[in-house]
Amino acid sequence: MITIKGLKKTFTTKSNTIIAVDDINLNINKGEIFGVIGYSGAGKSTFIRLINRLEQPTDGNITIDGQEITDLNQKELRLSRQEIGMIFQHFNLLWSRTVRDNISLPLEIAGVPRVERLERVEELIKLVGLSGREDAYPSELSGGQKQRVGIARALANNPKVLLCDEATSALDPETTDSILKLLIDINKELGLTIILITHEMHVIRKICHRVAVMENGRVVEQGDVLDVFLHPKQQVTKKFVEQVMGDKEQDDAYEFLTTSYTTGKNIRLHFIGETTNQALISRVAKEFDVEINILQGKITQTQKGAYGTLVVNIDGENNELARAIEFIKSTSVEVEVAPNA
């Protein structure tokens, strides 16, 4: 659907040259929600503006649904942009226009006849949950409602791709969740490809299928969200994962718990996807002559499945302990046995 090769953007000032985006190579599949995460200054907002050429690439190629975006002239680009919707952090609504008129604006620019335009606007108002607010002005709307207008406006021309630049960072947590749910519903209902820029890992966890991590203008890590959560390789990725998983806090608690229980074996289990539904602990308790104490646990959901950790103390005779641990290792659950204190 979207192929990005060798994408680069530099800004030249009087004193130096700044490389904002540096040799990015990505493939984004049709109908997926692809997240790009990075701290401020990582280059992610420049990157997303390169996709619809709000910024002109210094080098590289962007192909969307077979069309080479970087080769288009201005007239061709204007037509192509109708197939690329974009929503912004601060909504970018026209304050002198009502909800209906803000959503209608891209259709007016595209020359859509009035009757057809009104029908499309009504469809979009229902889609984003704004029925009854058609004649309200932006000053009369909550932050979440304003973003819903922004989403409806971005969908007006039936785009193939929706770009979201920090679309929830100006919203409170509850409103953020409602907007993310709306984006998931739109993705499923319309089969829309969504590229989402954020600095919040919980947004990636809740909505994205795959993720790319940016640092200093480069993509330093990418993959399925669940894989990145389970096996972050770069230090910046590990910091983002800690935002959601609380790894530092859990590791400290794990160290305390495992040194407090000095008999038997202390084990941390990692459940992935379908394995989170396994009744593993009850099976072990029934099949082996051991006692099991659950010390700590957490399950986190992603679009590709659940990821859970469980810390247990298993006590019993050495032979039985060894048999129970070997049984657990024979399943698809990952096992981490703490050394004896």
Side-chain angles (χ1 to χ4, degrees):
M1 174 63 177
I2 302 175
T3 302
I4 298 167
K5 295 182 179 179
L7 189 63
K8 187 173 183 177
K9 177 65 179 180
T10 60
F11 295 96
T12 303
T13 65
K14 289 182 179 179
S15 57
N16 64 348
T17 298
I18 300 168
I19 303 175
V21 171
D22 189 7
D23 193 28
I24 288 183
N25 297 277
L26 289 173
N27 288 299
I28 299 169
N29 301 321
K30 181 178 174 61
E32 79 173 331
I33 304 177
F34 190 93
V36 179
I37 190 167
Y39 290 109
S40 295
K44 57 189 186 297
S45 289
T46 301
F47 164 71
I48 203 170
R49 289 169 64 85
L50 289 169
I51 293 176
N52 60 2
R53 281 183 57 188
L54 289 175
E55 293 284 356
Q56 299 302 314
T58 303
D59 199 2
N61 303 98
I62 303 168
T63 304
I64 300 179
D65 202 21
Q67 184 179 51
E68 174 58 70
I69 300 298
T70 40
D71 285 345
L72 300 181
N73 60 38
Q74 286 303 310
K75 181 179 180 181
E76 293 168 334
L77 182 59
R78 282 195 295 272
L79 292 173
S80 178
R81 280 179 177 155
Q82 293 180 11
E83 298 184 335
I84 307 173
M86 189 166 186
I87 58 176
F88 304 86
Q89 177 181 357
H90 296 296
F91 321 126
N92 288 14
L93 303 181
L94 296 177
W95 293 82
S96 61
R97 281 178 167 249
T98 64
V99 167
R100 180 184 285 109
D101 292 339
N102 264 285
I103 298 171
S104 179
L105 182 60
L107 299 170
E108 294 173 27
I109 294 171
V112 176
R114 185 174 184 277
V115 173
E116 185 180 339
R117 195 166 68 227
L118 291 175
E119 289 178 358
R120 178 61 177 157
V121 170
E122 291 305 313
E123 289 175 6
L124 290 165
I125 286 171
K126 291 178 183 177
L127 178 67
V128 301
L130 285 174
S131 295
R133 304 295 287 160
E134 299 92 334
D135 298 318
Y137 289 89
S139 61
E140 301 172 309
L141 302 176
S142 67
Q145 289 172 330
K146 290 173 189 173
Q147 196 56 284
R148 287 172 185 269
V149 177
I151 292 170
R153 181 184 59 190
L155 296 176
N157 283 312
N158 291 301
K160 297 176 182 177
V161 178
L162 179 63
L163 307 179
C164 306
D165 188 6
E166 298 278 10
T168 60
S169 60
L171 306 174
D172 62 75
E174 185 176 349
T175 306
T176 291
D177 286 345
S178 70
I179 294 298
L180 294 180
K181 183 180 182 303
L182 175 60
L183 290 174
I184 291 171
D185 291 343
I186 289 170
N187 169 254
K188 291 178 178 177
E189 185 173 337
L190 305 180
L192 195 63
T193 303
I194 298 176
I195 302 176
L196 186 146
I197 300 295
T198 185
H199 64 274
E200 300 170 303
M201 197 62 170
H202 72 89
V203 172
I204 299 292
R205 174 183 67 81
K206 288 182 178 181
I207 191 172
C208 296
H209 302 108
R210 292 193 299 138
V211 62
V213 182
M214 287 190 69
E215 186 177 31
N216 297 324
R218 300 181 68 89
V219 170
V220 296
E221 190 164 351
Q222 61 176 299
D224 288 346
V225 169
L226 188 56
D227 291 340
V228 170
F229 266 75
L230 289 171
H231 307 293
K233 296 178 177 64
Q234 302 297 321
Q235 188 58 39
V236 65
T237 311
K238 292 175 182 178
K239 288 172 68 176
F240 278 122
V241 172
E242 284 176 11
Q243 289 181 4
V244 176
M245 298 306 298
D247 285 351
K248 177 73 168 64
E249 182 180 329
Q250 284 213 4
D251 284 345
D252 291 344
Y254 176 62
E255 185 177 342
F256 171 76
L257 290 168
T258 54
T259 53
S260 299
Y261 285 78
T262 56
T263 61
K265 292 288 184 181
N266 298 308
I267 301 174
R268 180 153 53 183
L269 308 175
H270 299 274
F271 298 81
I272 306 166
E274 292 299 320
T275 64
T276 55
N277 298 322
Q278 291 183 4
L280 180 64
I281 299 303
S282 62
R283 286 184 63 190
V284 172
K286 290 176 182 178
E287 296 183 23
F288 301 93
D289 187 17
V290 294
E291 292 184 358
I292 302 178
N293 288 313
I294 297 176
L295 309 182
Q296 182 191 60
K298 182 175 182 178
I299 293 178
T300 298
Q301 292 289 337
T302 74
Q303 282 285 73
K304 286 293 186 75
Y307 164 51
T309 60
L310 187 67
V311 179
V312 299
N313 173 265
I314 305 180
D315 202 0
E317 295 294 330
N318 288 340
N319 287 343
E320 202 68 1
L321 274 177
R323 289 181 61 233
I325 292 171
E326 284 304 310
F327 170 75
I328 296 172
K329 288 181 177 179
S330 71
T331 70
S332 55
V333 175
E334 294 183 10
V335 181
E336 180 185 342
V337 181
N340 288 331

